[in-house]
């Protein structure tokens, strides 16, 4: 249901780096590695939510070019429900949402979009970071782009 994902300004390269730094620190070092970061940066919930949207939505949305089935629509609804819950959490309690959204992204990466070229989840997250950085740099280096 693409209408549930509003048009939005893409993340900046710095925001992409910041969000993936948190994800990678949590993935490799656990909760102790990220302790206190959410309280120190209230904008982190927004960044992680945006990353969650960019990672979860393409993997769960109904693909108009693929053969449609009941499973396609069920996966679309699961993605919408997950993103809706993460948005509510980020809105209502940004500080507690940060580790929860990050863990949701990591769990989603492990269970839904494992990368055969990167069997280690940290490697997959790093590959996703690199892809997001390319897009962010392209968006913000384009003529007339907001900075």
């Amino acid at each position: 249901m693409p209408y549930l994902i509003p048009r939005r300004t893409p993340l900046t390269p710095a925001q992409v780096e910041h969000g993936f730094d948190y994800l990678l620190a949590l993935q490799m070092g656990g909760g102790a590695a990220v302790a206190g970061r959410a309280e120190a940066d209230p904008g982190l919930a927004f960044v992680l939510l945006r990353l969650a949207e960019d990672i979860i939505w393409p993997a769960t949305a109904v693909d108009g070019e693929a053969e449609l089935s009941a499973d396609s629509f069920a996966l679309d609804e699961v993605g919408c429900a997950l993103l809706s819950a993460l948005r509510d959490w980020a809105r209502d309690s940004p500080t507690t949402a940060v580790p929860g959204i990050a863990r949701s992204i990591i769990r989603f990466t492990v269970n839904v979009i494992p990368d055969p070229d990167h069997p280690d989840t940290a490697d997959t997250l790093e590959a996703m970071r690199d892809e997001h950085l390319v897009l962010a740099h392209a968006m913000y280096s384009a003529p007339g782009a907001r900075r």
Side-chain angles (χ1 to χ4, degrees), residues 43-129:
L44 188 54
F46 165 78
V47 170
L48 289 174
L49 178 60
R50 292 292 304 287
L51 287 176
E53 291 169 347
D54 291 344
I55 292 167
I56 294 168
W57 182 250
T60 62
V62 172
D63 181 357
E65 296 178 16
E67 186 174 324
L68 299 179
S69 69
D71 291 342
S72 305
F73 293 103
L75 184 59
D76 183 84
E77 287 303 317
V78 168
C80 289
L82 175 57
L83 289 173
S84 179
L86 294 178
R87 282 187 204 112
D88 289 347
W89 194 1
R91 181 194 64 233
D92 295 341
S93 182
T95 302
T96 63
V98 168
I101 293 170
R103 284 187 176 95
S104 295
I105 292 170
I106 292 167
R107 186 173 296 124
F108 188 85
T109 301
V110 168
N111 294 314
V112 178
I113 54 172
D115 185 343
D117 295 332
H118 302 98
D120 182 280
T121 302
D123 289 343
T124 302
L125 290 169
E126 288 172 355
M128 286 193 297
R129 178 195 59 210

